Amino acid sequence: AQKVTQAQTEISVVEKEDVTLDCVYETRDTTYYLFWYKQPPSGELVFLIRRNSFDEQNEISGRYSWNFQKSTSSFNFTITASQVVDSAVYFCALSVYGQNFVFGPGTRLSVLP
Amino acid sequence: DTEVTQTPKHLVMGMTNKKSLKCEQHMGHRAMYWYKQKAKKPPELMFVYSYEKLSINESVPSRFSPECPNSSLLNLHLHALQPEDSALYLCASSQDSTGVNYGYTFGSGTRLTVV
């Protein structure tokens, strides 16, 4: 069975601080995909990144970066120089081919001005 | 068009009412999904349509009835709901039913309140 854990329920930071959101996953499949979604107060889930299990390269997109480590089954997400607009709930998700997404419980990030 | 559009955005209904939620996408995606999300919880899968056919029903009560009239539209018919059914209902689509290659595109949801 697949499982995603996001140990941080809520995080508060002050604007311009860096923040890392943790994600740990469990699967016995060797081929899988990991995702991060952002859910702002408006409700929609916004796709941020997809990573397959064969690509362990870290990725940077502007202020966002992701650290994928298969050895620890982790796919952590860092926001550099956080902004108030980053306030949202962030979900990590796992997908194994032929099965549907398993979402983590989410981390609520509050960025204070 | 890279959006999934859901209507209405908000809905308040009584327990004896019949209402429908609508979802539309024009990205050529062949799989569409209904998710239910309670406050402070992750989305929970309800139904999956693949190529306009119902492929997954996650043991959802019959008071929720999905319909896929064509490849671009997905409806969720509601009847005799309970207050505990109040939630955010999210529609999503993906290129195929695995959803793995590109992830899901989600709509902004319908916030449903049952009184």
Side-chain angles (χ1 to χ4, degrees), chain A residues 80-100:
Chain A
T80 302
S82 59
Q83 300 176 1
V84 173
V85 294
D86 296 326
S87 298
V89 180
Y90 290 86
F91 291 99
C92 181
L94 168 68
S95 181
V96 172
Y97 188 83
Q99 300 186 30
N100 292 295

Side-chain angles (χ1 to χ4, degrees), chain A residues 8 11-21 62-65 77-83 86 109-111:
Chain A
Q8 304 144 311
I11 301 176
S12 287
V13 299
V14 177
E15 209 171 15
K16 298 185 183 178
E17 286 185 5
D18 298 347
V19 59
T20 296
L21 309 183
R63 295 184 297 107
Y64 295 170
S65 62
F77 173 32
T78 298
I79 302 175
T80 302
S82 59
Q83 300 176 1
D86 296 326
L109 174 64
S110 297
V111 180

Side-chain angles (χ1 to χ4, degrees), chain A residues 10 33 35 37 39 41-47 50 91 95-101 103-106 108, chain B residues 33 35 37 40-43 45 48 56 58 88 90 97-108 111:
Chain A
E10 295 191 27
Y33 294 81
F35 300 82
Y37 281 87
Q39 188 173 38
S42 51
E44 77 275 20
L45 279 155
V46 178
F47 169 82
R50 173 186 66 93
F91 291 99
S95 181
V96 172
Y97 188 83
Q99 300 186 30
N100 292 295
F101 275 26
F103 283 95
R108 182 176 299 275
Chain B
Y33 311 78
Y35 278 83
Q37 187 179 21
K40 298 190 176 183
K41 296 289 186 181
L45 182 65
V48 179
I56 294 178
E58 292 284 353
L88 179 68
L90 291 161
S97 61
T98 66
V100 296
N101 284 332
Y102 300 99
Y104 293 179
T105 301
F106 282 88
S108 57
R111 200 165 294 278

